[in-house]
Amino acid sequence: MPIEIIMPQLGDSVSEGTISKWLKREGDQINEYDPLLEVSGDKIDTEIPAPQSGILVKILIPVGEKVLPGACLGLLEDVAETPSPLAPLPQGEGNKHASNGDGQSNFVSPVVARMVAEHDLNLAVIAGSGRGGRVTKKDVEAYLEQQQHGDERAFLHRSAPAPEEEAPQLIARGNSAPPRNTPPPFNGAARRVHPVEDIPQGVAGELVPLTAMRKTIAEHMVNSKLHTAPHVTTVFEFDLSAVLAHREAHKEAFARQGVNLTLTAYFAAATVQALQANRYLNAQWTDEGIYLHNAVNLGIAVALDEGLIVPVIKNAGGLNLLGLAQAINDLATRARSKQLKADEIKGGTFTITNHGVSGSLLATPIINQPQVGILGVGVMEKRVKVIDDMIAIRPCCYMTLTFDHRVADGAVGDAFMLTLKQAIEGWS
């Protein structure tokens, strides 16, 4: 009896996921707990393991499809119940298609037999590449793909619109209300779509398909910047001398406890202090009023090959420097190894992005909705400063606060940055 591969609940607040990649193919031998596929849920890629050993006989949900928890993603067949590798097509399911033209039946694997039966194929018309001309799984897949492409070409030929019937490239604003949860076009302007046909002819290149993560990032950034919050940015310069001296004096003690003491931990601790003193930056806009959060749930942006992800330190205000350093180490490590849970990137009330790790001097990050602000940290470098009328060399960096001007004015943003600056430069 086939064993169902069930879509799990990815998190308390996650209602669906998208199949981003199948790691195994139909016909593959699977061991229990082997990763079978990856499911993407709001920028988190989760590996779904095999419930037991067997053969992957059917993939039911293709890449790109959205699924709900409890859905059957595919079928495994117990190895103990699987017929021998070379077996005739099952009686009643495929023998009428199994003739090779001379009355003899072709011997095929159970997977091929099942595919032939499911798609109602004539085995005699499929060229076999196996030993003795035996039809393999790859042969059936190639035949099905060829047939599918032929059907698509025929359909396109039948249904292609006349030139005057082609859809316009601009989606014009209509009188009807936009779909629910879909932001209206920015400032009432028409939204431009970018079909592949827009690529200039004769320009060499390649089309990289959009991943689920990249699509999610794009949607969130456009929604935040163009359709939701009026962004404003303030820039301050920070002297990191005190922080660096403290880190040098304590990093070995932290290392003995298995913790890497990074500058990000200091930025996080100072940010918590500044948010507690300036609550309108630890808030969110609603149509009924400004909601001030009691707890600081601090998001720390982590760069991955596929994009940016923001795991959240819940109740960061209750952690000391050691606790924050431990949390940052743990979340960053698990983010890069795709071991984060979906709920660990939700519920943030403010975000820090340390873009300076890649050499960036200054940036104006986009707010992570529905938060009010995001702190950008630039690269640290030694600079010549005038201190007490004397020239000195100090390790400095620029930090930017980008915030929602609906919630906070410039004075509030600058007050936050002054609190942050005093905490960083006066660290002891």
Side-chain angles (χ1 to χ4, degrees):
M1 176 177 290
I3 303 140
E4 293 185 341
I5 304 163
I6 301 298
M7 171 71 174
Q9 179 72 48
L10 298 181
D12 294 337
S13 57
V14 180
S15 60
E16 65 180 12
T18 301
I19 307 299
S20 55
K21 182 189 301 182
W22 275 94
L23 305 174
K24 303 293 184 181
R25 301 181 62 183
E26 290 182 356
D28 285 353
Q29 178 76 44
I30 310 296
N31 295 319
E32 186 176 10
Y33 306 125
D34 277 356
L36 289 175
L37 70 154
E38 290 182 357
V39 176
S40 176
D42 195 13
K43 297 174 66 174
I44 287 288
D45 286 338
T46 303
E47 289 185 346
I48 308 300
Q52 71 176 65
S53 298
I55 293 175
L56 180 59
V57 294
K58 187 66 177 176
I59 292 174
L60 298 176
I61 309 295
V63 171
E65 290 291 321
K66 291 184 177 181
V67 287
L68 298 175
C72 182
L73 306 176
L75 299 174
L76 288 172
E77 190 171 273
D78 194 328
V79 176
E81 299 178 1
T82 303
S84 60
L86 294 179
L89 288 170
Q91 293 290 333
E93 289 188 347
N95 277 356
K96 64 178 180 179
H97 305 293
S99 173
N100 62 4
D102 58 4
Q104 301 294 322
S105 64
N106 287 326
F107 282 80
V108 294
S109 70
V111 173
V112 171
R114 188 172 293 104
M115 292 173 71
V116 168
E118 287 177 354
H119 296 281
D120 196 30
L121 301 177
N122 183 352
L123 195 63
V125 302
I126 302 176
S129 62
R131 177 177 295 181
R134 183 167 62 90
V135 175
T136 67
K137 176 174 175 284
K138 290 184 178 180
D139 298 330
V140 178
E141 289 175 338
Y143 178 82
L144 289 172
E145 183 176 2
Q146 181 182 17
Q147 294 298 108
Q148 180 183 1
H149 287 170
D151 291 343
E152 289 175 351
R153 285 192 295 269
F155 174 79
L156 291 173
H157 180 72
R158 290 193 306 269
S159 61
E164 62 271 14
E165 297 174 346
E166 291 182 357
Q169 296 301 312
L170 287 176
I171 301 177
R173 181 180 56 170
N175 295 324
S176 60
R180 187 179 180 183
N181 296 328
T182 301
F186 175 63
N187 199 27
R191 297 175 64 186
R192 183 77 167 94
V193 296
H194 301 279
V196 176
E197 288 77 9
D198 277 358
I199 299 172
Q201 294 295 319
V203 178
E206 60 178 321
L207 181 67
V208 179
L210 295 173
T211 63
M213 175 181 282
R214 179 49 55 191
K215 286 181 180 179
T216 301
I217 291 173
E219 290 169 0
H220 287 185
M221 295 301 97
V222 170
N223 181 50
S224 179
K225 184 74 172 180
L226 299 184
H227 307 310
T228 303
H231 285 48
V232 64
T233 301
T234 184
V235 184
F236 278 60
E237 187 177 43
F238 286 70
D239 184 342
L240 303 182
S241 299
V243 162
L244 289 175
H246 187 276
R247 178 176 180 268
E248 185 63 29
H250 294 85
K251 64 180 181 180
E252 289 187 8
F254 277 60
R256 287 195 292 270
Q257 300 182 67
V259 178
N260 179 24
L261 181 58
T262 64
L263 289 178
T264 303
Y266 290 93
F267 302 149
T271 297
V272 169
Q273 183 177 332
L275 289 172
Q276 291 171 335
N278 302 272
R279 295 187 64 200
Y280 277 81
L281 273 302
N282 191 53
Q284 73 181 70
W285 171 273
T286 76
D287 292 337
E288 289 73 34
I290 298 169
Y291 189 88
L292 305 179
H293 298 289
N294 291 328
V296 175
N297 292 341
L298 193 61
I300 305 293
V302 178
L304 307 178
D305 291 340
E306 311 94 293
L308 199 68
I309 195 167
V310 186
V312 177
I313 304 173
K314 304 292 176 63
N315 298 309
L319 300 175
N320 58 14
L321 185 64
L322 175 62
L324 287 169
Q326 287 176 321
I328 291 168
N329 288 179
D330 172 58
L331 290 173
T333 299
R334 290 194 291 116
R336 295 186 179 105
S337 59
K338 296 184 177 181
Q339 294 179 351
L340 286 176
K341 298 176 182 177
D343 291 337
E344 291 179 309
I345 64 168
K346 294 182 178 294
T349 61
F350 189 88
T351 295
I352 298 175
T353 177
N354 191 352
H355 55 85
V357 296
S358 57
S360 171
L361 183 68
L362 187 70
T364 56
I366 297 176
I367 299 168
N368 188 11
Q369 294 297 325
Q371 299 168 22
V372 168
I374 181 170
L375 181 72
V377 182
V379 66
M380 180 185 68
E381 59 182 8
K382 291 184 178 180
R383 296 176 189 154
V384 177
K385 307 296 294 181
V386 177
I387 301 175
D388 297 329
D389 291 332
M390 294 184 292
I391 294 177
I393 297 176
R394 292 288 186 268
C396 299
C397 74
Y398 293 118
M399 293 194 196
T400 58
L401 172 68
T402 299
F403 58 96
D404 187 340
H405 215 330
R406 297 174 303 172
V407 175
D409 297 324
V412 175
D414 290 344
F416 169 89
M417 292 295 277
L418 282 172
T419 307
L420 185 70
K421 183 178 177 72
Q422 291 165 2
I424 291 291
E425 296 186 348
W427 201 283
S428 61

